[in-house]
Amino acid sequence: MIRILIVNPNTTQVMTDKIADAARQVASAGTEIIAITSSQGPASIQGYFDEAMSLPGLLQAIQQAPEHDAVVIACFDDTGLDAARCLSDKPVVGIGEAAYKMASMISNKFSVVTTLARSVPALEHNLRRYGMGHCCVRVRSSDVAVLDLESEILLAITDDRAEAIVLGCAGMTDLVASLSARFGVPVLDGVACAVALCEGIVRIGLKTSSVGGYATVK
Amino acid sequence: MIRILIVNPNTTQVMTDKIADAARQVASAGTEIIAITSSQGPASIQGYFDEAMSLPGLLQAIQQAPEHDAVVIACFDDTGLDAARCLSDKPVVGIGEAAYKMASMISNKFSVVTTLARSVPALEHNLRRYGMGHCCVRVRSSDVAVLDLESEILLAITDDRAEAIVLGCAGMTDLVASLSARFGVPVLDGVACAVALCEGIVRIGLKTSSVGGYATVK
Amino acid sequence: MIRILIVNPNTTQVMTDKIADAARQVASAGTEIIAITSSQGPASIQGYFDEAMSLPGLLQAIQQAPEHDAVVIACFDDTGLDAARCLSDKPVVGIGEAAYKMASMISNKFSVVTTLARSVPALEHNLRRYGMGHCCVRVRSSDVAVLDLESEILLAITDDRAEAIVLGCAGMTDLVASLSARFGVPVLDGVACAVALCEGIVRIGLKTSSVGGYATVK
Amino acid sequence: MIRILIVNPNTTQVMTDKIADAARQVASAGTEIIAITSSQGPASIQGYFDEAMSLPGLLQAIQQAPEHDAVVIACFDDTGLDAARCLSDKPVVGIGEAAYKMASMISNKFSVVTTLARSVPALEHNLRRYGMGHCCVRVRSSDVAVLDLESEILLAITDDRAEAIVLGCAGMTDLVASLSARFGVPVLDGVACAVALCEGIVRIGLKTSSVGGYATVK
Amino acid sequence: MIRILIVNPNTTQVMTDKIADAARQVASAGTEIIAITSSQGPASIQGYFDEAMSLPGLLQAIQQAPEHDAVVIACFDDTGLDAARCLSDKPVVGIGEAAYKMASMISNKFSVVTTLARSVPALEHNLRRYGMGHCCVRVRSSDVAVLDLESEILLAITDDRAEAIVLGCAGMTDLVASLSARFGVPVLDGVACAVALCEGIVRIGLKTSSVGGYATVK
Amino acid sequence: MIRILIVNPNTTQVMTDKIADAARQVASAGTEIIAITSSQGPASIQGYFDEAMSLPGLLQAIQQAPEHDAVVIACFDDTGLDAARCLSDKPVVGIGEAAYKMASMISNKFSVVTTLARSVPALEHNLRRYGMGHCCVRVRSSDVAVLDLESEILLAITDDRAEAIVLGCAGMTDLVASLSARFGVPVLDGVACAVALCEGIVRIGLKTSSVGGYATVK
C-alpha cells in the first residue's frame, strides 16, 4: 500500500479536488491518494511572485499532512520542489519535472503548451535547470479557452515539429485522452506523470538523499 | 495486468535470469516480467563494438517476443534504445536512462560507478545526450571485484561529493540495499528504476510517439 | 540622491546591521542605504528550506519599506530574486548574482568560497542558471572558522587556478581588503558588488521590465 | 599511396557505385578508393532502426575488406562510427561528422538540408554530441525531389541566415558545384569532406587511440 | 573622484564626441569622462577584420592616455577587451558585455538590435562566450535608418517575446529614453551601462586580476 | 598543385623556419609551402595582449603574400582566424582549431599540454567557442623544459584519462613521433593537422563563405 500525498500549493479547494480526481484515475489499486490544500498563500499561482508566496503554506501543509510515502507538488512551476525535499527523506516529485522526464522517454522533442504568458520564463528556467532545454522545442502560452489551447497544440506539431505535447498546468487532466487521439501525438499531463513516478520510486525503495543539499532540516 | 518485456542484449542466459530475478523483486503484484535473451551477438557488452554487434539480435528478440506492454533494455549503455522505439508505439526504457532520471529526482548530483574503463566514454556520451551531464559529477570505473566497487563508491562520496550513487551495470541489483545502508546515500540499480518507470508509463497510458524520429517502421 | 533598500532575508537584526555597515562603506556620497530585516522567517538561511521559508517575510518587508529606488537582496543564495522583481519596476539585484557578474569582468575564472556545505548545490544551481558555470571553477565550502576560510582560498588559487575569489556569504565584508592583499588576487564581497550595481542601474534610468515574467503583480 | 576504404552501410550496390564515383572525383592522385557494400542489412538507411540493423553487416564488411589505411562510413547518420573505431587503430571518419567539421571552418553557421523527416532527430543528436549545435542553425528536410531541395536551400539562406549548406545525405555529390554556384554559398557534400579528411589524417600519421573507449577489440 | 577613460576604437573623432556626450549624461557628479580616439585603424568597425585592425591603435591609445581609474571600450563588439585587461590592473569593461549583463538583471530575456548584418556572428560569439546565449533570444540587424530600427524592435517584442532591447552599437545613445517610452520595455545603451559598471567597480576597489590570463604584460 | 600559405604571426624568423620545416615534412608531393613571417608585432605570442598586437602585421602579411590557395595561421591561440577569413574567400585554418578537430576524430577525449600558464584561458575560450569543451578534459601548462612537458603528458593520461594529447604550441612538431611512441597515445601537432586540413579543403573546392560574418572586406 503506497500513500501519495498530493499538495496543491494554491489555496483553492476546488482545484485540489480536480487534481485528486485526476490522480485517483491513474493511481494503482494499492495506492492511496491523499490530496491536501495549502492553508495560506495565493488562490492561484501565476508566475514567480505567487510561487514565492505559496511556499510556507505549501511546506507547512506537507509537514502537517497525514502519514505518506511520497509527495507530489501539483503546480506546473514545480514550486518549492527543492525545499520540500529537505523536509524528510521521502521522495518528492514535481508535476512539471515529471512530465518533462516522461516526455523525453517517448519522443525526441516536445513542446509545452500552457495558458499564462507570465509563467513562460519560469518554465523555461526549470527546463534549463533540469538539462532538458534541448528536448523542449518551445514553451507556448495561450491566455485563453479550449479552442486556443488546441490551436497552440496544432502549431506545436506543425511549426515546432514537436513529437509530443506537455500540458503546462495542473487543470487539464481530463483532456489528455481526447487531445491525444485528436492530434495523433502523445499528450502528457503532469499529475498523472508524477503519480506514476512516485509509485515507482516508492516501490523500489528509493529515498531522497540525506547528504548534501537535500539533507533533512532539523 | 502489465507485461514488461526485459531484453538482455547479450546472449548470456544466466545474466538474463539474474536480471529477471531483480526485476521480479521490484515489480508490482499485477506486473508480469517476461525476460528474454538476445539470440545472437556478444556474450557480454563491453563498449561501442559490442553494443553495435548486439543490435539486430536485440531488436529481433523484441519483435519475436510474447505480447507485452513495455520494453526494458537491460544494458547500462542503453544499447539500441532509439531503434527499439521505432518497432512499435510501446514505451521503451533503458536502464541507464532510468537510473539517471531517478537519481536526478532524489539528489542534486550523483556519480556513476561501473566496472569497465572501456565503457566510460559511452556512458558519458549518453549522459551528455540526455542533458544530464551537470547532474553527474563523474563516471568512475573499477575493473575489479566487490572491494574495489566499494572503494569507488567511497571516493564518489568523499571526493565527488556525490549525493547518490548509480551502479553502472546490470548485474549488481542485489547489492543495492546493503550498499545503500553501508554508505548512507541512495544507491540506484538501473533494472529496478526501469521496471518502475515502465509500470508508470503504461499505467497512465503513454505510448512512444508515432510522429517524427520514432515513427514505427513498416 | 539614490535610495537603496537592502533587505536581509533572515530575521537576525545584528546581521542586518553588519550588512548595512558594509553597504555604507562602499556607497557613494549621494546614496542612502536603507537596511531592513525580514519580519518573519528563519534566523539564518542555510539551504533550500530556509530560502523558501524566508520568502513571504522578505517580500512583505520590501512592500512595506520606505521609499527607495532599487533593492538589494542580501543573501548569497539570491533568495526571492525573481519574485522581488515582480513587486514593481524598481531594479532588484542579488548579492550572489552581483558578485559573479563583477568577478567575470576582472578574471577569466573564479572560485566561490562559502561556509556551508549544504548551500553548495543551491549556489551551483544559480551559477548554472545565470550561464556562469564556465567562469566558476568550483564552489568550495568550509564549515568552520577564519583559518579554514583561508585554507580554502589558498586551494582555490593553487588547485582551481582561480584568478579571483568570491566570498559566498553576506557576513564577510570586512575581510575583503586584507584577504585580497594577502592572497594577491581580487576577493569579492556580494554586498559591495550589489550596492555598486544598483547605483549604476538607477543612475542610468533602467527599470525592471514590465513585460513578461517580471510584469508587476497587481 | 593512401588506400581509403569507403563503406556503404546499406546493401544497395548502385549507391556504393555512386559514392565511389564521387570519392574518386575528389581523391588525390596517390589515393586508391576501395568502395564496399555491406553484405547484410537494410537497402537504405532511414532513421534509428535502419541504422541499428545495418551495424553488423557494416562492421563485418570492414573486417573482411582488403588492406586499407583509413575508413569512411558513407552514411550521413554516421552509423557505427564509434564501433568501427574499435576495430583497429586505423582512422575512421563519418561523412556527417566530416561535413560539419569542414563547414564550421568556412562559415559561422550552416544549415543541413536532408530528404527524410524521419532522420532529422538522429542528425540533431549527432550535432549535439559533436558539440556543433551552435554552428548549425537548423536541420531541414524535404521528403521530395530536386525542386524541393532547392527550396529548402533558399529558405536556409534567407530564413536561417545560414552561411553554408550541408547536404544531408550521401547521394547528392554531383549537385554540389551547381548548387554552390547557383545559391552563392558553399555547399558541402559529406563524401568529399570525409575523403579529404582521411587523406590528411593518414598523411600526418595519426591513428585512432588505442587507449580508452576506442581500444581495439580482441 | 573617478576618472573613466572611454576609448573609441575607431578613428572617427565625431563618433568619440558623441560617445563622450552620452557618457557624461549618465556619469556621476564626481566622475570625469576622458574620451580618446584610436590614433590608427579603421574609421568604423564593421565585423571581424575591422576589429582586428583596430587593436594596436586601441591598445596604444590606452597606454598613452592620461591618468585614469577604469577603461570603457566603446565598441559593441567588445574589441580588444581581453588584451586591454592585460595592460594594467585597472578594470576594463566592454559596452556589449555591460549591456548584456545589465539586461540580464532587469529581464528574463532580451534581443539585440544592431545595424550591420556582418556584425551579427561576432555578437553571437560574444554572447556565447559570456554564457549569455540563453538570455538573448536573437541578434537582429537592420542595415538602415531609424524607421527600420523601430521595426526590428517591434519584431523583437512581438516575435521574440523579448522583455528588453539592447541597442547593438555605440551611436544610438540619445534614442534610449524615447524608444523605451514608445515601446514599453527597457531599452539599453552599452555606453551608459559600461560607465555605470566602471563607476561601481572602481568605487568598491576591484581591480583586474594580476594572476593568470590577465596578468599585466611587462 | 596546392599552395599553402603559412603565416607565423610573431616576428621571429627562426620560428617561421621551424614551422615551415614541419609543414614540409607532412605536405603532399604536390603541395608548395609558402612560409611568411609577420612584418610587425611581438616576437612571440604569449596571451591576449600579444595576440592583439600581432593582428595587423599578420593580416598585412597575408594580403602581401605570394599567390596561394589556403592559409594556415601558425599560432596555437588561432590569432586572427576570423579576421583572416574576411580577407578573401580562400580557406583559413588555425593550428589550434585543426588539432582539436583532428583529435576529436581519433579519441573520445583529449588534453592539451602547453608551455605557458598565461595562455591557458585563451585556449579554454577557443575550445568553448568551437563547442569542443566536452572533448577536452583539461588544458595543462608546464612553464618549462622537455622533462616537464613529458610529466604533464603523463598526468594527462593517468589523471585526465585523456585518450590523446594535443601539443599546445607551434614549436614542438618534431617531438610528435617520439612522444606518441613513448606514451602509447596519439600526440597531435597543430601545424601538421592544419596543413592536412588545408590540402583537403582546397582539393574538394571549398571556399570561405562570402555571405555573412566572413564576407570579403572591400
Side-chain angles (χ1 to χ4, degrees):
Chain A
M1 163 77 150
I2 294 172
R3 294 155 303 178
I4 297 178
L5 181 70
I6 302 197
V7 199
N8 174 11
N10 70 43
T11 53
T12 305
Q13 181 64 38
V14 64
M15 191 64 172
T16 312
D17 296 342
K18 193 170 179 188
I19 292 166
D21 279 355
R24 287 187 186 109
Q25 278 171 40
V26 298
S28 302
T31 295
E32 181 186 359
I33 298 294
I34 307 163
I36 60 174
T37 308
S38 180
S39 57
Q40 52 161 304
S44 75
I45 295 186
Q46 309 192 356
Y48 294 124
F49 178 76
D50 291 335
E51 275 191 56
M53 293 307 288
S54 73
L55 285 171
L58 164 66
L59 295 169
Q60 197 179 45
I62 297 174
Q63 286 175 305
Q64 297 173 349
E67 280 287 291
H68 56 273
D69 301 301
V71 179
V72 169
I73 296 185
C75 173
F76 203 79
D77 300 25
D78 295 339
T79 310
L81 187 53
D82 290 313
R85 285 178 178 152
C86 300
L87 290 176
S88 75
D89 65 358
K90 281 166 198 152
V92 184
V93 173
I95 65 172
E97 176 194 36
Y100 304 145
K101 289 203 155 81
M102 288 291 200
S104 73
M105 290 188 284
I106 58 170
S107 68
N108 286 281
K109 34 191 180 176
F110 57 83
S111 280
V112 178
V113 178
T114 186
T115 42
L116 291 166
R118 171 192 283 278
S119 298
V120 172
L123 302 188
E124 290 173 341
H125 163 198
N126 285 347
L127 281 158
R128 196 171 129 73
R129 179 182 173 190
Y130 303 150
M132 305 193 81
H134 68 288
C135 312
C136 177
V137 195
R138 195 163 171 177
V139 180
R140 294 177 165 274
S141 72
S142 80
D143 287 281
V144 226
V146 172
L147 186 69
D148 281 280
L149 172 69
E150 296 183 347
S151 303
E152 285 294 333
I153 291 176
L154 198 58
L155 285 171
I157 295 169
T158 55
D159 287 17
D160 305 348
R161 305 194 68 87
E163 298 178 9
I165 302 296
V166 170
L167 296 181
C169 59
M172 297 170 173
T173 320
D174 40 356
L175 300 172
V176 163
S178 64
L179 289 173
S180 197
R182 180 156 170 189
F183 289 102
V185 296
V187 176
L188 293 95
D189 166 62
V191 172
C193 295
V195 167
L197 278 176
C198 275
E199 288 187 348
I201 291 173
V202 171
R203 193 165 293 128
I204 62 176
L206 289 181
K207 304 214 170 283
T208 299
S209 180
S210 301
V211 164
Y214 293 146
T216 304
V217 291
K218 279 140 295 205
Chain B
M1 160 81 148
I2 295 172
R3 294 155 302 177
I4 297 178
L5 181 71
I6 302 196
V7 200
N8 174 11
N10 70 43
T11 52
T12 305
Q13 181 63 37
V14 65
M15 191 65 171
T16 312
D17 296 343
K18 193 170 179 188
I19 292 166
D21 279 355
R24 286 189 187 109
Q25 278 170 42
V26 299
S28 301
T31 294
E32 181 186 359
I33 297 295
I34 307 164
I36 60 174
T37 308
S38 180
S39 57
Q40 53 162 302
S44 76
I45 295 187
Q46 310 192 354
Y48 293 124
F49 178 75
D50 291 334
E51 276 191 55
M53 293 307 288
S54 74
L55 286 171
L58 163 68
L59 295 169
Q60 197 179 43
I62 298 175
Q63 286 174 306
Q64 296 173 350
E67 279 289 289
H68 56 273
D69 301 301
V71 179
V72 169
I73 296 185
C75 172
F76 204 77
D77 299 24
D78 295 339
T79 311
L81 187 54
D82 290 313
R85 285 177 178 152
C86 301
L87 290 176
S88 76
D89 65 359
K90 279 164 199 151
V92 184
V93 174
I95 64 170
E97 176 194 37
Y100 305 145
K101 290 204 155 80
M102 288 291 199
S104 73
M105 291 188 283
I106 58 168
S107 69
N108 285 282
K109 34 193 180 175
F110 56 84
S111 280
V112 178
V113 178
T114 186
T115 42
L116 291 165
R118 171 191 282 279
S119 297
V120 172
L123 302 188
E124 290 173 340
H125 163 197
N126 285 347
L127 281 158
R128 198 172 127 73
R129 178 181 174 191
Y130 302 149
M132 305 192 82
H134 67 289
C135 311
C136 178
V137 194
R138 196 161 171 179
V139 181
R140 293 176 166 275
S141 71
S142 81
D143 287 282
V144 225
V146 173
L147 186 71
D148 281 281
L149 172 71
E150 296 183 348
S151 303
E152 285 293 334
I153 291 177
L154 198 59
L155 285 172
I157 295 170
T158 54
D159 287 17
D160 306 347
R161 304 195 68 89
E163 298 178 8
I165 302 295
V166 170
L167 296 181
C169 60
M172 298 169 172
T173 319
D174 39 358
L175 300 171
V176 163
S178 64
L179 289 173
S180 197
R182 180 156 169 188
F183 290 102
V185 296
V187 176
L188 294 95
D189 165 63
V191 172
C193 295
V195 168
L197 278 176
C198 275
E199 288 187 348
I201 291 173
V202 171
R203 194 165 291 126
I204 63 176
L206 289 180
K207 303 212 170 284
T208 299
S209 181
S210 301
V211 163
Y214 295 145
T216 304
V217 292
K218 278 142 293 206
Chain C
M1 161 78 152
I2 295 172
R3 292 156 304 179
I4 297 179
L5 182 70
I6 301 196
V7 199
N8 174 12
N10 69 44
T11 52
T12 304
Q13 181 64 36
V14 64
M15 190 65 170
T16 313
D17 295 343
K18 193 169 178 188
I19 292 166
D21 278 354
R24 286 186 188 111
Q25 278 170 40
V26 298
S28 301
T31 294
E32 181 187 359
I33 298 294
I34 308 163
I36 60 175
T37 308
S38 180
S39 57
Q40 51 160 303
S44 75
I45 295 186
Q46 309 192 355
Y48 293 124
F49 178 77
D50 291 335
E51 275 192 56
M53 293 307 288
S54 74
L55 286 171
L58 164 68
L59 296 169
Q60 197 180 42
I62 297 174
Q63 287 174 306
Q64 296 173 349
E67 279 288 289
H68 56 274
D69 301 301
V71 179
V72 170
I73 296 185
C75 173
F76 205 78
D77 300 24
D78 294 340
T79 311
L81 187 54
D82 290 313
R85 284 177 178 152
C86 300
L87 290 176
S88 75
D89 66 359
K90 279 164 200 153
V92 184
V93 174
I95 64 171
E97 176 194 36
Y100 304 146
K101 289 202 156 80
M102 289 289 200
S104 73
M105 291 188 283
I106 57 168
S107 69
N108 286 281
K109 34 192 180 175
F110 56 84
S111 280
V112 178
V113 178
T114 185
T115 43
L116 291 165
R118 171 191 282 281
S119 297
V120 171
L123 301 189
E124 289 173 340
H125 163 198
N126 284 348
L127 281 158
R128 199 172 127 74
R129 179 182 175 191
Y130 302 150
M132 304 191 83
H134 67 289
C135 311
C136 178
V137 195
R138 195 161 171 179
V139 180
R140 294 176 166 275
S141 71
S142 81
D143 287 282
V144 223
V146 173
L147 186 72
D148 280 280
L149 171 70
E150 295 183 348
S151 303
E152 285 294 332
I153 291 176
L154 198 59
L155 285 171
I157 294 170
T158 55
D159 287 17
D160 306 348
R161 303 194 69 91
E163 297 178 9
I165 302 295
V166 170
L167 296 181
C169 60
M172 297 170 173
T173 320
D174 39 357
L175 300 171
V176 163
S178 64
L179 290 172
S180 199
R182 180 156 169 187
F183 289 102
V185 296
V187 176
L188 293 96
D189 165 63
V191 172
C193 294
V195 167
L197 279 175
C198 275
E199 288 187 349
I201 292 174
V202 171
R203 194 166 291 128
I204 63 176
L206 289 179
K207 303 211 170 286
T208 299
S209 181
S210 301
V211 163
Y214 294 146
T216 304
V217 292
K218 278 140 294 202
Chain D
M1 160 81 148
I2 295 172
R3 293 154 305 178
I4 297 178
L5 181 71
I6 302 196
V7 199
N8 174 13
N10 71 43
T11 53
T12 305
Q13 180 64 37
V14 65
M15 191 65 171
T16 312
D17 296 343
K18 193 169 179 187
I19 291 166
D21 279 354
R24 286 186 187 110
Q25 278 170 41
V26 299
S28 302
T31 295
E32 181 186 359
I33 298 294
I34 308 162
I36 60 175
T37 308
S38 179
S39 58
Q40 52 160 305
S44 75
I45 295 186
Q46 309 192 355
Y48 294 123
F49 178 77
D50 291 336
E51 273 191 58
M53 292 307 288
S54 74
L55 286 172
L58 163 67
L59 295 169
Q60 196 178 44
I62 297 173
Q63 286 174 306
Q64 299 173 347
E67 279 288 289
H68 56 273
D69 302 301
V71 180
V72 169
I73 296 186
C75 173
F76 204 78
D77 300 25
D78 294 339
T79 311
L81 187 53
D82 289 314
R85 285 177 178 152
C86 301
L87 290 176
S88 75
D89 65 359
K90 280 164 198 153
V92 185
V93 173
I95 64 171
E97 177 194 36
Y100 305 147
K101 288 202 156 80
M102 289 290 201
S104 72
M105 290 188 284
I106 58 169
S107 68
N108 286 280
K109 33 191 181 176
F110 56 83
S111 280
V112 178
V113 178
T114 186
T115 43
L116 291 165
R118 171 191 283 279
S119 297
V120 172
L123 301 188
E124 290 173 339
H125 162 197
N126 285 348
L127 280 158
R128 197 172 128 74
R129 177 181 174 192
Y130 302 149
M132 305 192 82
H134 68 289
C135 310
C136 178
V137 195
R138 196 163 170 177
V139 180
R140 295 176 164 275
S141 72
S142 81
D143 287 282
V144 226
V146 173
L147 186 69
D148 281 281
L149 172 70
E150 295 182 347
S151 303
E152 286 293 332
I153 291 176
L154 199 58
L155 285 171
I157 295 169
T158 55
D159 287 16
D160 307 346
R161 302 195 69 87
E163 296 177 10
I165 302 296
V166 169
L167 296 181
C169 60
M172 298 168 171
T173 320
D174 39 358
L175 300 171
V176 163
S178 64
L179 290 172
S180 197
R182 180 154 169 189
F183 289 102
V185 296
V187 176
L188 293 96
D189 165 63
V191 172
C193 294
V195 167
L197 279 176
C198 275
E199 288 187 349
I201 290 173
V202 171
R203 193 165 294 126
I204 62 176
L206 289 180
K207 304 215 170 281
T208 299
S209 181
S210 301
V211 163
Y214 294 146
T216 304
V217 292
K218 278 140 294 204
Chain E
M1 161 80 149
I2 295 172
R3 293 154 303 177
I4 297 179
L5 181 72
I6 302 197
V7 198
N8 174 13
N10 70 43
T11 53
T12 305
Q13 180 65 37
V14 64
M15 192 65 171
T16 312
D17 296 342
K18 194 170 178 187
I19 292 165
D21 278 355
R24 287 188 186 110
Q25 278 170 41
V26 298
S28 301
T31 295
E32 180 187 0
I33 298 293
I34 307 163
I36 61 175
T37 307
S38 179
S39 58
Q40 53 160 303
S44 75
I45 296 186
Q46 310 192 355
Y48 294 124
F49 178 76
D50 291 335
E51 274 191 58
M53 293 306 288
S54 73
L55 285 171
L58 163 67
L59 295 169
Q60 198 179 42
I62 297 174
Q63 286 175 305
Q64 297 173 348
E67 279 288 289
H68 55 274
D69 302 301
V71 179
V72 169
I73 295 185
C75 172
F76 203 78
D77 300 24
D78 294 339
T79 311
L81 187 53
D82 290 313
R85 284 177 178 152
C86 301
L87 289 177
S88 75
D89 65 359
K90 281 165 197 152
V92 184
V93 174
I95 65 172
E97 176 194 37
Y100 304 146
K101 289 203 155 81
M102 288 291 201
S104 72
M105 291 188 283
I106 58 169
S107 68
N108 286 280
K109 33 193 180 174
F110 56 84
S111 280
V112 178
V113 178
T114 186
T115 43
L116 290 166
R118 171 191 283 279
S119 298
V120 172
L123 302 188
E124 290 173 340
H125 163 198
N126 285 348
L127 281 158
R128 198 172 128 73
R129 178 181 174 191
Y130 303 150
M132 305 192 81
H134 68 288
C135 311
C136 177
V137 195
R138 196 164 171 177
V139 180
R140 294 176 165 276
S141 72
S142 81
D143 287 281
V144 225
V146 173
L147 186 69
D148 281 281
L149 171 70
E150 295 183 347
S151 304
E152 286 293 333
I153 291 176
L154 199 58
L155 285 171
I157 294 169
T158 54
D159 288 17
D160 306 347
R161 305 194 67 88
E163 298 177 9
I165 302 296
V166 170
L167 296 181
C169 60
M172 297 170 172
T173 320
D174 40 356
L175 300 170
V176 164
S178 64
L179 289 172
S180 197
R182 181 157 170 187
F183 289 103
V185 297
V187 176
L188 293 94
D189 165 62
V191 172
C193 295
V195 167
L197 278 175
C198 276
E199 288 187 349
I201 290 172
V202 171
R203 194 165 292 126
I204 62 176
L206 289 180
K207 304 212 170 283
T208 299
S209 180
S210 301
V211 163
Y214 294 146
T216 303
V217 293
K218 279 140 294 205
Chain F
M1 162 77 152
I2 295 172
R3 293 155 305 177
I4 297 178
L5 181 71
I6 302 196
V7 198
N8 174 11
N10 70 43
T11 54
T12 306
Q13 181 64 36
V14 65
M15 190 66 171
T16 311
D17 296 342
K18 193 169 179 187
I19 292 166
D21 279 354
R24 286 188 187 110
Q25 277 170 40
V26 299
S28 302
T31 294
E32 180 187 359
I33 299 293
I34 307 164
I36 60 174
T37 307
S38 180
S39 58
Q40 52 162 302
S44 76
I45 296 187
Q46 310 192 354
Y48 294 124
F49 178 76
D50 290 334
E51 275 192 56
M53 292 306 288
S54 73
L55 286 171
L58 164 67
L59 296 169
Q60 197 179 43
I62 298 174
Q63 286 174 307
Q64 297 174 349
E67 279 288 289
H68 56 274
D69 301 300
V71 179
V72 169
I73 296 186
C75 173
F76 204 78
D77 301 24
D78 294 340
T79 312
L81 188 53
D82 290 313
R85 284 176 178 153
C86 300
L87 289 177
S88 76
D89 65 359
K90 281 165 198 152
V92 184
V93 174
I95 64 171
E97 175 194 37
Y100 305 146
K101 290 202 154 80
M102 288 291 200
S104 72
M105 291 188 283
I106 57 169
S107 68
N108 286 281
K109 34 193 179 173
F110 57 84
S111 281
V112 178
V113 178
T114 186
T115 42
L116 291 166
R118 171 191 282 280
S119 297
V120 172
L123 302 188
E124 289 173 340
H125 164 198
N126 284 348
L127 281 158
R128 197 171 129 73
R129 178 181 175 191
Y130 302 149
M132 305 192 82
H134 67 288
C135 310
C136 177
V137 196
R138 195 161 171 180
V139 181
R140 294 177 165 274
S141 72
S142 81
D143 288 281
V144 224
V146 173
L147 186 71
D148 281 281
L149 172 69
E150 295 183 349
S151 303
E152 286 293 333
I153 291 177
L154 198 59
L155 285 171
I157 294 170
T158 54
D159 287 17
D160 306 346
R161 304 194 68 89
E163 298 178 9
I165 303 295
V166 170
L167 297 181
C169 59
M172 297 170 173
T173 320
D174 39 358
L175 300 171
V176 164
S178 63
L179 290 173
S180 199
R182 179 155 170 187
F183 289 103
V185 297
V187 176
L188 294 94
D189 165 63
V191 172
C193 295
V195 167
L197 279 176
C198 275
E199 289 187 349
I201 291 174
V202 171
R203 193 166 291 126
I204 63 177
L206 289 180
K207 303 211 171 287
T208 299
S209 181
S210 301
V211 163
Y214 295 145
T216 304
V217 292
K218 278 141 293 204

